[in-house]
Amino acid sequence: MRNSRDDGPAALVRLVATGRAESRAELARVSGLAASSVSLRVEQLIEAGLFAEEGAGASRGGRRPRRLRLARQAGVFLVADLGAHHARLAVADLAGAPLALADLACDIAVGPDKTLTTVIDRLHALAAEHGLRDVPVRGVGIGLPGPVDPATGQVVSPSRMPGWNDFPVRDFVAGHTGVAVLVENDANLMAVGEHRHSWPALDNVMVIKLGSGIGCGVIVDGRLHRGRGAAGDISHVRILSEATVDCSCGHPDCLEAHASGAALAASLAGHGIVVDAPSRIVDLVTDGVPQATAAVRGAGRLIGDVLTALVNFFNPDALVIGGSLSGAEPLVATIRGVIYERCLPLATRNLEIATSRAGRDASILGAGHLLLGVSDEWIGRVLER
């Protein structure tokens, strides 16, 4: 029996938004609904201002069908991808494609109230600056550099986010915006965006985010695997090292304590080289600074050792390396070399190891896709008016 979630109006909106159907006939074919049922629901969605029908689409024989698209006034999503010292902001259409983008300097260590209030205000201002003030906001997506409980939308035991533990991020943002809110780990959002944008034909993908911290998002059978909120958290895997370094989580020798952007910055500071962002480390490597090159190669060996076990265990179709440190070619080359050297041949025979194709907006794209996936509630409210 077809689930009502899969044949309701929201499902038709998702099909049009993602480009899987652009006419009533295609909606009927893809959804499996009767043409009469599709036509009725399309008329409802047009009347509600969510669909527009215009021009003519491609013909499969006979009269060319009218082309369906999302109406400009159907709505937008507001998305913020927060890092330790910055946020990437976007206003996206209901297909998840960014309409406006901006960067915001912020320090997540000042706490959730001030950070989230600033981000929300700036998102609304960004929409207004691009002529979208009057377009209804249908959802807000927040990406955070820490573990998120998918059931509650709370941050749980983050290692570099003082004041955020158990903070009700979802409820706080919903209270300030009055719309549905998605709260997700930033690496998970990157994994979804990278998969949907660049690797949609692959079922099993691991996406590593290398920035100030280290994260990993896992796509299993084409879907994000969250577990109970800690799935993919490789940052606190213990590694073997000659020198013991205490991690911010309280344990010694976690991967993040030795190989993250923050760890590399601390190491370079010991050589008198001050860096204020992981991207600066990439610049130093590009400029041939030997200390920076040696540091990222050392980090690459440690990251590769951890990923070797994961690749053998999970056997993904692709391993994608993203984040601000992914531009350091010696880092990526070292990771790739360790994996191919240490993994079972069967695990790497068809494995593709690549850097991000979606780039710095992968998390924005991922949030848009996930927000569209929870669109049933607001679409139902629109149709009831």
Side-chain angles (χ1 to χ4, degrees):
M1 180 181 296
R2 186 185 292 116
N3 188 296
S4 60
R5 177 180 172 83
D6 297 326
D7 62 11
L12 302 188
V13 172
R14 286 193 290 272
L15 289 173
V16 171
T18 55
R20 294 181 59 196
E22 64 170 17
S23 69
R24 299 184 190 214
E26 287 185 349
L27 282 174
R29 178 174 55 82
V30 175
S31 69
L33 293 170
S36 58
S37 297
V38 167
S39 183
L40 175 62
R41 288 171 186 175
V42 167
E43 291 297 336
Q44 292 175 332
L45 291 165
I46 291 174
E47 185 177 347
L50 297 180
F51 275 178
E53 202 168 26
E54 61 185 17
S59 174
R60 291 177 175 266
R63 188 173 61 184
R64 297 175 68 187
R66 303 250 308 155
R67 187 171 68 88
L68 284 169
R69 63 170 178 82
L70 292 175
R72 174 176 169 79
Q73 296 298 315
V76 294
F77 295 135
L78 304 181
V79 180
D81 178 26
L82 275 67
H85 303 291
H86 77 284
R88 182 71 165 165
L89 309 181
V91 181
D93 65 21
L94 299 187
L99 301 173
L101 293 162
D103 290 303
L104 174 68
C106 62
D107 185 354
I108 206 165
V110 303
D113 291 77
K114 184 174 181 179
T115 299
L116 292 173
T117 299
T118 300
V119 165
I120 293 167
D121 290 345
R122 187 67 190 96
L123 283 170
H124 284 296
L126 182 63
E129 290 164 7
H130 287 79
L132 300 167
R133 182 192 300 273
D134 297 326
V135 179
V137 175
R138 302 301 189 184
V140 176
I142 304 291
L144 295 170
V148 175
D149 185 337
T152 65
Q154 293 176 288
V155 182
V156 181
S157 302
S159 58
R160 292 175 293 108
M161 300 171 63
W164 288 79
N165 185 44
D166 286 338
F167 186 82
V169 178
R170 181 190 299 162
D171 293 343
F172 182 90
V173 177
H176 282 68
T177 61
V179 298
V181 176
L182 168 79
V183 182
E184 188 57 85
N185 171 263
D186 58 351
N188 283 348
L189 292 183
M190 175 178 280
V192 173
E194 194 68 44
H195 177 247
R196 298 299 302 179
H197 178 270
S198 307
W199 312 86
L202 301 185
D203 292 329
N204 302 303
V205 179
M206 289 174 56
V207 179
I208 310 300
K209 183 173 185 179
L210 303 178
S212 294
I214 297 176
C216 176
V218 185
I219 303 296
V220 181
D221 290 335
R223 295 176 178 271
L224 175 65
H225 177 65
R226 295 184 176 91
R228 305 247 177 165
D233 190 351
I234 68 171
S235 57
H236 300 293
V237 173
R238 187 167 186 175
I239 54 94
L240 296 177
S241 176
E242 295 180 359
T244 295
V245 176
D246 289 330
C247 181
S248 56
C249 72
H251 295 288
D253 295 332
C254 293
L255 177 64
E256 186 165 293
H258 287 270
S260 66
L264 293 178
S267 174
L268 291 172
H271 295 283
I273 302 172
V274 179
V275 295
D276 55 4
S279 58
R280 178 59 183 149
I281 298 174
V282 176
D283 293 338
L284 293 173
V285 172
T286 302
D287 290 341
V289 176
Q291 296 91 337
T293 302
V296 300
R297 282 182 174 151
R301 284 189 288 273
L302 296 176
I303 295 168
D305 283 342
V306 171
L307 293 180
T308 294
L310 299 178
V311 168
N312 278 334
F313 175 77
F314 180 45
N315 195 195
D317 302 310
L319 171 65
V320 181
I321 302 171
S324 51
L325 281 178
S326 65
E329 194 277 334
L331 173 67
V332 175
T334 303
I335 292 172
R336 184 183 284 114
V338 171
I339 291 173
Y340 281 126
E341 177 186 354
R342 300 281 302 277
C343 279
L344 295 171
L346 184 60
T348 57
R349 183 174 59 183
N350 297 310
L351 174 67
E352 184 161 3
I353 302 176
T355 53
S356 171
R357 295 176 180 174
R360 63 192 303 234
D361 293 328
S363 295
I364 299 293
L365 297 170
H369 176 75
L370 292 177
L371 281 166
L372 184 62
V374 294
S375 58
D376 300 62
E377 183 179 348
W378 67 260
I379 290 176
R381 289 200 302 265
V382 172
L383 294 176
E384 288 172 0
R385 293 175 183 170

